[in-house]
Amino acid sequence: MGEVVGGRYELTESIGKGGMAQVWRARDLVISRDVAVKFLRSDFVNLQQLDTRERLAEHDVLRARFRREATLLRRLDHHGIPELYDQGSHQGMPYLVMRLVTGVTLHKFLAQYAPLPLTVAVAVAVQVADAMACAHTLPVVHRDLKPQNVMISDEGVIALLDFGIAKPLGIDVTQYTRHGSTLGSRGYQAPEQILEKEPTTRTDIYSFGCVCYELFAGRPPFVMDETRGLVEQHLKVDPLPPGLYAAGVPEELDDLMLRMLAKDPEQRPTVDEVLDVLSPLGPHPGDPEPQPRLRPDPTAPLRQPRDSPVERQSQAPAFPTAPDPYTDADGEWLNAHALEVLCAAAEREIHEGDPDDAVRHLAGLADRARAEWGSRRPLVRRIWELAAEGLRLAGDCGGAARFYQGIADDLIRGDGPQERADRAVLRLRVAECRLAFGEIEAAIGVVEVAGHVAAGLPMSLASQVEKVRREVDTDIAERLADPGAAQG
């Protein structure tokens, strides 16, 4: 203690130590605030079991993964994910400086208060899911969701910690895991993690399902018994509904938990679908404090007015609200001419292959345009199409998929040849975007259906569908040919 790191961070106490890292509370001497400083451990126990050459190689992997954690934290902008302030190296060991979250882990909270009242359990689950939604939109898979990596701050705000083994999804992502080295924590690993298969955002859903099961049932979905170990149960045994272990669990939560814990990733819901079920069951602004009182109280942020810092952020990309140039003189309604000019600017950005401000402004205005002008106005569809295409080219797969799906579901009228071709192309684009989330089997199904649609279309329309279908099919083939990207 008392050691100064990077010329400004004075270490005051060790507050956490895991397998690969150690976290210290520190005082930022420059701006007088407490921060968390995370060091990569040089005494990582697994390294001691390797020979010298393997130890050096593994240490390089750990350093690379540590650097990747810093990169991810810079991109993850959510109140439930501690932001990165600084990084560097001290005495040869890399470190990260992050926002300090004071409170208790969910693991300790459950040990003290379980079984939890339903609204308290939902309040925790909703806040964790909201942070997950931010990560999944990039898309990034956390890969180590467990109660020890969830912190409840003194104010009741949930923080999702430790992105040390998190991984961005994509075929060009560097692999940082040896074959035979299974990532995740025992009792919370999805079947595909145990089997060393490719992780997707649905992998996090399984781990989160295990956490939620503890929240609602007061116990894990599987426990050791005399006949079957935990691994075998996670691979082969279907869990019982949590309502069998705890009174007052609604049927919709029983159903949600079983879907989240499905062995097949494709059968699990997305994080947005999870939030759709959980949110109505949680506390609302103005609700009374739970009795008996909890310290900390995870319902507090959700019981505050809607302008409180904790709001659901997963419904739409966090783009700027409409600036004055795109509204009328009173700032009350959108200005159609200004939006047409913005569309032209977005088209130029897309044509030049560099989607930027115009595309982001359009994406931020798309929902408002549809609400004000309805779904039949051609300008609304043009805005949505440009937003979708621009976000796809910019790499925002989650945002692009939402717009493509919205066009296919709500902005296309009729069922003539042109409409069928348009829907096929849009659904192919959705599948292409979802590939970034590892949803390969679903994309294969969409490609097959698009082929059948194209076969029944006039040649000019069929060629439009076939062009996109071949692009997505090629993307699928590349991902299937690169299974090594599964671990990283």
Side-chain angles (χ1 to χ4, degrees):
M1 294 191 294
E3 191 172 358
V4 177
V5 175
R8 66 182 290 181
Y9 307 109
E10 183 180 10
L11 305 182
T12 57
E13 63 175 320
S14 176
I15 56 176
K17 190 173 185 179
M20 294 178 288
Q22 182 168 10
V23 182
W24 288 76
R25 186 185 189 119
R27 187 68 177 171
D28 186 337
L29 302 176
V30 175
I31 57 176
S32 298
R33 66 177 174 187
D34 286 342
V35 296
V37 181
K38 180 177 181 178
F39 287 93
L40 181 65
R41 286 180 58 186
S42 59
D43 61 343
F44 179 38
V45 64
N46 286 357
L47 294 183
Q48 312 309 318
Q49 303 169 3
L50 304 176
D51 63 32
T52 301
R53 185 170 59 86
E54 290 177 326
R55 188 182 305 122
L56 291 173
E58 184 67 9
H59 211 277
D60 287 342
V61 166
L62 294 176
R63 284 176 174 270
R65 192 179 285 151
F66 204 74
R67 289 193 299 269
R68 186 161 74 183
E69 180 179 5
T71 300
L72 292 179
L73 288 175
R74 285 198 195 92
R75 298 175 63 196
L76 293 167
D77 182 15
H78 191 278
H79 59 266
I81 301 174
E83 58 267 40
L84 180 74
Y85 294 147
D86 196 1
Q87 68 183 112
S89 180
H90 178 70
Q91 297 180 357
M93 293 306 298
Y95 66 84
L96 308 178
V97 182
M98 299 172 286
R99 170 165 54 94
L100 177 67
V101 180
T102 59
V104 299
T105 66
L106 179 57
H107 177 72
K108 291 182 178 179
F109 186 79
L110 286 170
Q112 181 176 358
Y113 290 115
L116 301 178
L118 180 63
T119 55
V120 176
V122 172
V124 174
V126 164
Q127 292 190 64
V128 175
D130 205 59
M132 281 176 54
C134 171
H136 287 186
T137 298
L138 288 179
V140 168
V141 184
H142 186 280
R143 296 200 290 186
D144 198 18
L145 276 164
K146 58 183 178 180
Q148 291 87 341
N149 283 340
V150 175
M151 180 73 77
I152 307 176
S153 77
D154 295 332
E155 297 75 30
V157 177
I158 300 297
L160 181 56
L161 308 179
D162 198 354
F163 281 76
I165 63 171
K167 182 192 175 188
L169 298 177
I171 61 173
D172 57 346
V173 174
T174 304
Q175 178 179 341
Y176 293 142
T177 307
R178 303 187 319 273
H179 178 71
S181 178
T182 304
L183 295 177
S185 295
R186 189 168 179 267
Y188 300 92
Q189 292 169 312
E192 60 270 25
Q193 281 180 294
I194 295 171
L195 298 173
E196 297 184 42
K197 293 184 177 180
E198 182 173 1
T200 71
T201 52
R202 309 293 175 105
T203 302
D204 278 350
I205 294 296
Y206 185 94
S207 301
F208 183 43
C210 294
V211 174
C212 286
Y213 200 102
E214 289 188 53
L215 287 170
F216 298 122
R219 52 153 285 165
F222 303 111
V223 295
M224 290 287 292
D225 61 37
E226 296 178 356
T227 58
R228 290 181 170 177
L230 278 179
V231 169
E232 183 180 2
Q233 293 181 69
H234 279 282
L235 289 175
K236 299 178 180 180
V237 178
D238 292 327
L240 296 173
L244 293 179
Y245 298 106
V249 177
E251 184 177 339
E252 58 264 41
L253 273 185
D254 274 342
D255 174 70
L256 178 65
M257 293 302 100
L258 297 184
R259 289 191 291 127
M260 292 172 74
L261 294 172
K263 307 304 182 190
D264 180 358
E266 295 290 336
Q267 295 179 5
R268 299 173 202 152
T270 65
V271 67
D272 281 334
E273 291 170 336
V274 171
L275 278 164
D276 287 340
V277 176
L278 291 175
S279 296
L281 301 173
H284 301 286
D287 282 355
E289 186 177 9
Q291 295 296 332
R293 293 184 175 182
L294 306 174
R295 292 293 180 269
D297 175 12
T299 72
L302 302 182
R303 293 187 291 104
Q304 294 172 4
R306 286 297 183 192
D307 59 355
S308 67
V310 178
E311 295 183 2
R312 180 172 175 183
Q313 300 184 5
S314 58
Q315 291 288 350
F319 296 116
T321 55
D324 288 341
Y326 306 121
T327 59
D328 60 19
D330 298 326
E332 185 176 357
W333 302 101
L334 290 175
N335 183 310
H337 175 70
L339 264 293
E340 288 172 348
V341 172
L342 184 61
C343 284
E347 284 178 334
R348 287 194 297 273
E349 290 181 356
I350 292 170
H351 179 72
E352 293 168 0
D354 187 24
D356 199 1
D357 287 344
V359 165
R360 287 187 282 111
H361 282 312
L362 272 186
L365 295 166
D367 285 318
R368 183 175 174 184
R370 180 176 159 191
E372 289 188 17
W373 296 332
S375 60
R376 294 181 179 273
R377 187 162 177 170
L379 179 56
V380 172
R381 180 169 169 182
R382 184 184 179 200
I383 290 169
W384 277 61
E385 288 175 340
L386 289 170
E389 188 68 4
L391 292 178
R392 180 178 69 89
L393 295 176
D396 183 351
C397 300
R402 185 179 80 88
F403 284 112
Y404 281 127
Q405 191 68 58
I407 299 166
D409 291 345
D410 301 320
L411 301 186
I412 295 180
R413 305 285 175 173
D415 196 35
Q418 182 67 62
E419 290 78 16
R420 294 202 304 274
D422 288 348
R423 286 195 186 94
V425 168
L426 288 164
R427 287 166 182 160
L428 283 166
R429 289 302 187 199
V430 172
E432 179 184 19
C433 292
R434 299 304 301 179
L435 276 173
F437 296 80
E439 298 183 11
I440 296 176
E441 292 184 14
I444 292 172
V446 173
V447 167
E448 291 177 352
V449 170
H452 295 308
V453 173
L457 294 173
M459 185 174 297
S460 60
L461 295 176
S463 64
Q464 296 174 19
V465 176
E466 280 297 315
K467 178 179 181 295
V468 180
R469 195 174 80 92
R470 284 194 294 270
E471 291 177 9
V472 180
D473 198 38
T474 299
D475 198 352
I476 292 171
E478 290 176 350
R479 291 171 187 272
L480 290 174
D482 188 20
Q487 306 291 326

